[in-house]
Every structure is written in C-alpha cells, then in structure tokens.
Amino acid sequence: MPEQPPLRERLVDVGVELVLAHGPVGLREIARRAGVSHGAPRRYFPTHHALLSAIAERGYQELGRRFATAQATTTTTTTTDDPRAQLAAYARVYVGYALECRGMFELMFRHDLLGGGQLASGLTPLRESTLPLFEQLVRLVQRCGVTEAPATAAALWSAMHGIAQLWTWGSLQLVLGGTGSQRLDQHLDQHLDQRLDQLVETVLAAHLTPEPGGTIP
C-alpha cells in the first residue's frame, strides 16, 4: 500500500478535490473524506478559514504554473520576447482557469480569506498569494512602455476578472448576441476562444500602446 502523505497535506489534498468538484465545503466533510475525526484538522488548522486558505493557496500555485507554461509557450512561438503577447496569454489563462475551476476560483477571492481577519494569529493572509502573480503582470506592463504600470496592471486584472465573472453568469453572452444559457463551466470551446480573443485584444488596446503599425479598435 502506498504511503499516505502527512495529515496536513492530506486534508488540503482532499479539500482541493472537493472544492474543484463541488465548491467550498465544511471542515467536517473534509475530515470525513480524509478518514479522520472532525476534530483532527484543528491540530493543523485552528479555524475553518485557515484550512480554506491553505486550499485556496493551492489554487494560486496552480494558476502560477499555468502562467509560467503560457509564458514559455509564447516565448517559443514568437520571434521575439513579446510582453504584449505574454499579457494576452496571461489573460486567456486567467479567464480559462476561472471557467474551468469555478469553485476554486471563487474560493481564491473570498474577501474573508483574502483579508485574513478570521485566521489565527501568526498565519499569513491569503492576499499575500496574489502579490507574486500581480508583480509578474506589472513587469510585463512596464516592458510595454507604460508609465503607470501598477495602475495599468490593476486595471487589466480587473478587466479579466470581470470577463470571467460576467461570462460565468451568462451576462456577456447576452450582450454579445448569444444566450444566457451558454454557460461554459468546464472548458473553453472554439466559440469562447474566439470571443475571448476579441475581448482580450480590446482590453489590451484600451490600456496599452497599440502594436507597431496597429490601431486601437
């Protein structure tokens, strides 16, 4: 029989599986699925919020890996190290992750977890996990020649987050000529790929200097 991971990691692993399948769940259900008593998780997570934060941290780690893969792929498929193309790839990854992993994405941005107000003393608020990803975004925006890079990066992030949320709710499909029932919760299909490309390029054009020879639509 393969050796099981330490209990702390097993609880987080089980929590990730449950969140991806069903959305945020209670501590008792995580403990039950992990095969331990409902009080056992408190040896490692003094509060339910502490366990949820550890689960959400896995989401940020996965999103970071997807960003790294997108950056590497973009670098190898373009003739130059193009920060604008990398920003577009980041945007597609971000929205794609939000639609594919809705439960985790929602957990990652819960205000009560981001602020850390209900965590035990000494634990790091979840918002700290957003900083490395945001700093990558700022660096790419700077390389595009934008003076106010942090503000522009924040605007781009807000736009991508809004696209993800509005598409999940069916609102964008309605205003773009589709139907609100076109909810793509698992994977991007060709229709969404085309729509997403249009939305990403429009957002980038609104905030960045257009590509050489190009115009802002």
Side-chain angles (χ1 to χ4, degrees):
M1 178 181 294
E3 183 178 352
Q4 289 189 326
L7 180 55
R8 185 187 189 283
E9 293 305 306
R10 184 150 47 101
L11 290 167
V12 177
D13 290 342
V14 170
V16 169
E17 293 175 4
L18 289 172
V19 166
L20 289 174
H22 308 291
V25 293
L27 187 148
R28 285 176 176 268
E29 179 61 15
I30 293 174
R32 187 183 73 80
R33 293 292 187 96
V36 298
S37 69
H38 68 266
R42 297 196 182 279
R43 284 185 285 169
Y44 305 95
F45 304 100
T47 67
H48 184 209
H49 281 73
L51 176 53
L52 290 179
S53 291
I55 294 168
E57 171 65 27
R58 292 282 189 87
Y60 283 107
Q61 293 171 359
E62 173 61 20
L63 187 56
R65 285 190 288 269
R66 294 189 185 200
F67 279 165
T69 299
Q71 183 174 13
T73 302
T74 303
T75 301
T76 58
T77 56
T78 57
T79 56
T80 59
D81 186 14
D82 182 357
R84 194 179 191 281
Q86 291 176 19
L87 281 171
Y90 273 35
R92 294 184 184 95
V93 165
Y94 189 85
V95 176
Y97 182 79
L99 298 181
E100 179 185 342
C101 307
R102 281 181 56 194
M104 179 64 78
F105 190 77
E106 291 173 3
L107 184 67
M108 289 161 61
F109 291 99
R110 270 180 46 170
H111 69 88
D112 55 337
L113 300 183
L114 287 170
Q118 299 188 52
L119 293 178
S121 176
L123 296 180
T124 303
L126 186 62
R127 66 170 176 268
E128 300 298 324
S129 299
T130 69
L131 297 180
L133 301 182
F134 182 68
E135 288 165 359
Q136 291 180 34
L137 193 61
V138 171
R139 287 193 292 270
L140 287 174
V141 171
Q142 286 174 329
R143 291 176 53 206
C144 291
V146 175
T147 303
E148 298 294 334
T152 300
L156 289 172
W157 180 17
S158 300
M160 291 305 105
H161 199 88
I163 289 171
Q165 292 283 41
L166 290 171
W167 194 281
T168 297
W169 296 334
S171 303
L172 280 179
Q173 296 92 312
L174 288 172
V175 299
L176 292 175
T179 65
S181 62
Q182 293 173 328
R183 296 168 62 94
L184 302 173
D185 298 338
Q186 298 299 321
H187 300 285
L188 299 178
D189 69 359
Q190 185 176 6
H191 173 70
L192 177 53
D193 260 341
Q194 295 170 350
R195 287 294 196 187
L196 181 56
D197 284 342
Q198 294 171 352
L199 291 168
V200 167
E201 288 304 319
T202 300
V203 168
L204 293 180
H207 294 285
L208 303 176
T209 302
E211 294 178 342
T215 59
I216 296 179

